[in-house]
Amino acid sequence: MGSTYRLPETLSGDIREFAARAKKFEAEELSAAEFKSFHVPMGVYEQRTDHTYMARVRTTGGVISPSQFLRLIAVARAHGSNLLHLTTRQEVQVQNLTLDQVELVLDELSQVGLATKGGGGNTVRNMLVSELSGIGNDETFDTTPYAQELTSRLLVEPDSYTMPRKMKIAFSSSEHHVDYAAINDVGLVARVVDGRRGFKVYVGGGAGAKPTVGWLAFDFVPAEELYTLVKALKNFFLDHGDRENRAKARIRFIFYRLGEEETLRLVREYFEREKAARHAPLVPDLTVEERPVYAYNAPQGIGESDAYRTWRNRYVTPQRQTGYFSAVLPILVGNLWLDDRTPRLERLLTFLQIFGDATIRFTNTQNLRLRNLPEAALPELYALLRDFTDEVDAPVVVNNMISCTGADMCRLGVRLSKSLVAAIRENLLESDLDLDRLADVTIHVTGCPNSCGQQLWADLGFAGRTLRAERSYPAYQVFLSADRTSPPKLAEPVGNIAARRVPDFVRSLLAAYLSAAVDAPFALWLKADGRAEVARLLEAYAEVPAFADDPEFYTDWGVVAAS
């Protein structure tokens, strides 16, 4: 299996066109709106700071080879970036670039098979795949090659960049775990029927305005018809998406407008039409890399240390391939700073090259999943990880919290979501809670009412907003109890809480769960006794002090209180 996707032949020309338009824009020969209509579908966005840009690199299913990652780091540093940000969509942003640096970054990344095209705007976006696809014990089959081949075929089609709005696609590799396939425009869940691979298909899911899980459109579509199916759904969206009202332009609004029965009838009609067109079947590359022999080279004694054993219990998972393991490298809120630690990361990536191209995946939790590691390599891996970051010795729950990029980077953000995650994290680490019992708890934070932080797909979700008493103060809407199994269900809004009270609220809720001493996972406890505890705590933390008594209450996390 290849490490990524095939680049479209037009990419070089697209990059040259981007550069030409950038020059016209800077010379004031092209309006900001005209330039934006081109640079956003190319995956290039202006950040919160004027004249500062980021380039969002497409990595289907989070797949990137160690050599590509090393080159990405070198290119970013050479052109002035100090930050790589891992997103909840399993891709990576090269941040803090000037406009004249962007062209060079795009061009040099294309030379190692990486592109930003389709990273933003009204396009077919980066496709999600489970980080355990291909190595998990309970999967139906590995969907990664199907996502990569589908990406390659859609990238070359011009209408993939002129959609009424963005079109998001997600794969689930287990028919027992719908997960992100439920909340994307197109959700594809692996199934095998009579020995034949295929997909259960959900359509119209989304977590933005008027959120919903997707509608079940097909119980089974053979894998070879996958391109035909998605081609049909794309054409359906091109024809019926609302191009007049951007706020109602996603596929789910077609269901709201026409109704479920008529929308599904049209979807099936488009599929039959495309089947009659006899498109070439989708044929993925199912080649599996040969795993090399590894010579043990760990520092003396590290494999016998308590710290190593704790790390293995927390972050290492046996693969279904006998003798091989995967491990998580935590990256706090997805921020990989390019600083004096970067050479240590480069040493780690050089080590991972020993094990081939299929060794790294970006995860939905903004971390790195390292795969296909022989057991003998784990002590040396731990030594390299620990040299790079202290986070590998922290409990899982504090490293799996998700945050969008927040108001410090994003022009839409109203809250500093990354700073809130840092505050929750610090609060939990300073507590006496048994955090290792909370490894499966999901806490997602987004800095505005949008859903980049996936607050609707978590046990506990928080969406930034502003409330007012004697003056305005930063706050979050609280969401509770998403269900990622079947039938899937979005988290429900249950109230609001001041930003400054969120860390104490989270700690108190988790303490209540641990004190309950129930055998049920946190997610199930929340659906039962936990709901009453949430309501009690929201009331307990509802008091709004006078500004004179507590000016810090009226400031966001990461902001110095006014005096």
Side-chain angles (χ1 to χ4, degrees), residues 174-188:
S174 171
E175 57 189 305
H176 306 295
H177 193 61
V178 177
D179 204 6
Y180 285 92
I183 58 167
N184 275 252
D185 298 289
V186 180
L188 302 160

Side-chain angles (χ1 to χ4, degrees), residues 41 87 199 463:
T87 78
F199 299 92

Side-chain angles (χ1 to χ4, degrees), residues 436-509:
D436 283 321
R437 288 179 55 196
L438 303 170
D440 293 332
V441 173
T442 55
I443 301 171
H444 297 179
V445 181
T446 196
C448 75
N450 290 327
S451 297
C452 297
Q454 301 174 350
Q455 75 277 9
L456 292 169
W457 210 227
D459 298 327
L460 276 177
F462 299 93
R465 61 185 313 176
T466 299
L467 297 179
R468 188 169 183 86
E470 64 178 86
R471 61 174 70 192
S472 63
Y473 62 92
Y476 284 84
Q477 186 174 21
V478 183
F479 294 83
L480 203 64
S481 295
D483 192 337
R484 303 184 185 196
T485 57
S486 186
K489 178 176 169 291
L490 296 174
E492 298 177 353
V494 293
N496 298 307
I497 188 169
R500 285 285 171 174
R501 302 295 184 249
V502 173
D504 288 340
F505 166 79
V506 172
R507 186 197 65 240
S508 298
L509 182 61

Side-chain angles (χ1 to χ4, degrees), residues 290-311:
E290 184 177 344
R291 295 181 176 87
V293 176
Y294 169 75
Y296 180 79
N297 191 35
Q300 187 68 30
I302 194 167
E304 289 77 47
S305 69
D306 289 340
Y308 170 77
R309 283 190 284 269
T310 299
W311 167 75

Side-chain angles (χ1 to χ4, degrees), residues 132-437:
L132 295 176
S133 191
I135 62 174
N137 290 312
D138 65 343
E139 73 177 5
T140 308
F141 60 84
D142 185 2
T143 59
T144 308
Y146 297 88
Q148 291 178 331
E149 181 61 25
L150 184 61
T151 295
S152 297
R153 291 187 65 168
L154 294 179
L155 273 178
V156 303
E157 298 181 346
D159 59 7
S160 291
Y161 308 95
T162 58
M163 313 292 288
R165 196 71 168 84
K166 55 192 166 188
M167 181 173 174
K168 294 183 174 180
I169 300 173
F171 287 78
S172 168
S173 297
S174 171
E175 57 189 305
H176 306 295
H177 193 61
V178 177
D179 204 6
Y180 285 92
I183 58 167
N184 275 252
D185 298 289
V186 180
L188 302 160
V189 182
R191 291 198 65 199
V192 174
V193 175
D194 297 330
R196 192 180 187 188
R197 288 185 174 188
F199 299 92
K200 179 182 287 189
V201 183
Y202 291 88
V203 178
K210 294 194 70 174
T212 181
V213 296
W215 285 264
L216 180 60
F218 300 95
D219 195 57
F220 183 77
V221 171
E224 59 269 22
E225 295 181 3
L226 178 59
Y227 170 77
T228 299
L229 167 75
V230 177
K231 178 75 170 175
L233 291 171
K234 194 171 73 165
N235 287 342
F236 161 75
F237 187 30
L238 286 164
D239 289 346
H240 294 277
D242 191 336
R243 293 184 182 272
E244 300 300 321
N245 186 346
R246 179 179 174 83
K248 295 183 177 181
R250 298 291 290 277
I251 288 178
R252 61 184 176 274
F253 287 94
I254 305 175
F255 281 88
Y256 299 151
R257 186 173 71 246
L258 300 181
E260 177 182 354
E261 183 177 351
E262 173 62 10
T263 305
L264 290 178
R265 185 193 70 78
L266 282 170
V267 164
R268 291 161 185 157
E269 179 181 293
Y270 272 77
F271 185 35
E272 291 302 318
R273 187 184 307 168
E274 292 305 317
K275 283 199 285 188
R278 298 185 179 278
H279 296 290
L282 186 134
V283 181
D285 178 6
L286 300 179
T287 305
V288 177
E289 282 189 333
E290 184 177 344
R291 295 181 176 87
V293 176
Y294 169 75
Y296 180 79
N297 191 35
Q300 187 68 30
I302 194 167
E304 289 77 47
S305 69
D306 289 340
Y308 170 77
R309 283 190 284 269
T310 299
W311 167 75
R312 277 198 64 159
N313 289 334
R314 286 172 171 168
Y315 289 106
V316 178
T317 305
Q319 296 184 184
R320 72 163 186 259
Q321 295 85 6
T322 303
Y324 287 85
F325 294 78
S326 72
V328 172
L329 168 56
I331 305 295
L332 190 57
V333 293
N335 281 345
L336 264 175
W337 293 97
L338 302 178
D339 51 24
D340 56 1
R341 294 189 309 162
T342 302
R344 302 174 193 175
L345 175 59
E346 291 170 329
R347 283 196 293 272
L348 169 64
L349 296 175
T350 300
F351 171 73
L352 293 173
Q353 284 183 303
I354 298 170
F355 310 109
D357 285 343
T359 317
I360 302 174
R361 300 235 178 155
F362 300 132
T363 74
N364 298 111
T365 52
Q366 300 173 290
N367 295 319
L368 295 179
R369 169 74 64 175
L370 313 179
R371 302 157 43 111
N372 298 324
L373 304 164
E375 186 168 17
L378 295 176
E380 186 171 358
L381 173 67
Y382 175 63
L384 289 165
L385 294 177
R386 199 176 190 188
D387 184 52
F388 172 60
T389 175
D390 294 336
E391 308 304 337
V392 298
D393 290 327
V396 170
V397 64
V398 299
N399 286 331
N400 272 357
M401 289 187 283
I402 284 177
S403 170
C404 70
T405 192
D408 53 337
M409 292 286 186
C410 176
R411 288 176 174 254
L412 299 178
V414 295
R415 300 275 70 86
L416 297 170
S417 50
K418 295 196 297 291
S419 295
L420 174 59
V421 166
I424 296 172
R425 191 176 188 280
E426 181 180 3
N427 193 304
L428 292 179
L429 288 173
E430 290 177 350
S431 75
D432 59 359
L433 300 181
D434 184 357
L435 299 181
D436 283 321
R437 288 179 55 196

